Amino acid sequence: HTRDADAVDFGLVLHIGDLSYATGYASKWDRFLKQIEPLSSRAPYMVALGNHERDWPGSGSAIGGADSGGECGVPTQARFPSPGSGPGEHGYW
């Protein structure tokens, strides 16, 4: 709730995996982004990929499931650019 976000002073939001559960549907991403807007508009919003963003057989990043619905992390990285996530970068900062 927006009123809950307004009542707390914070400088950073860390969302560790399992973000939108979009499984390939852009409308689910839109709904998720609208839900986090009260927080993400007030402080940096950093994310980490979870199995529901990345996990897909044959992608090189699968724990044995198809939890991402085939997204393979692409929509997450497009919506949440972060240090070390660009081409040729090492994935750390």
Side-chain angles (χ1 to χ4, degrees):
H1 294 100
T2 304
R3 70 172 186 265
D4 295 337
D6 291 338
V8 178
D9 185 24
F10 55 92
L12 173 69
V13 177
L14 299 174
H15 192 151
I16 310 302
D18 297 348
L19 308 177
S20 72
Y21 296 90
T23 59
Y25 294 95
S27 62
K28 290 183 180 182
W29 273 109
D30 293 342
R31 184 174 50 223
F32 170 72
L33 294 172
K34 184 71 173 166
Q35 289 172 339
I36 67 166
E37 189 174 8
L39 298 174
S40 63
S41 65
R42 294 184 48 213
Y45 198 97
M46 299 288 294
V47 303
L49 294 173
N51 61 309
H52 289 278
E53 288 76 51
R54 187 77 179 103
D55 203 17
W56 190 254
S59 69
S61 181
I63 307 171
D67 296 327
S68 78
E71 289 188 350
C72 300
V74 174
T76 304
Q77 291 173 333
R79 287 170 173 82
F80 296 97
S82 59
S85 65
E89 295 184 19
H90 299 289
Y92 58 87
W93 31 275

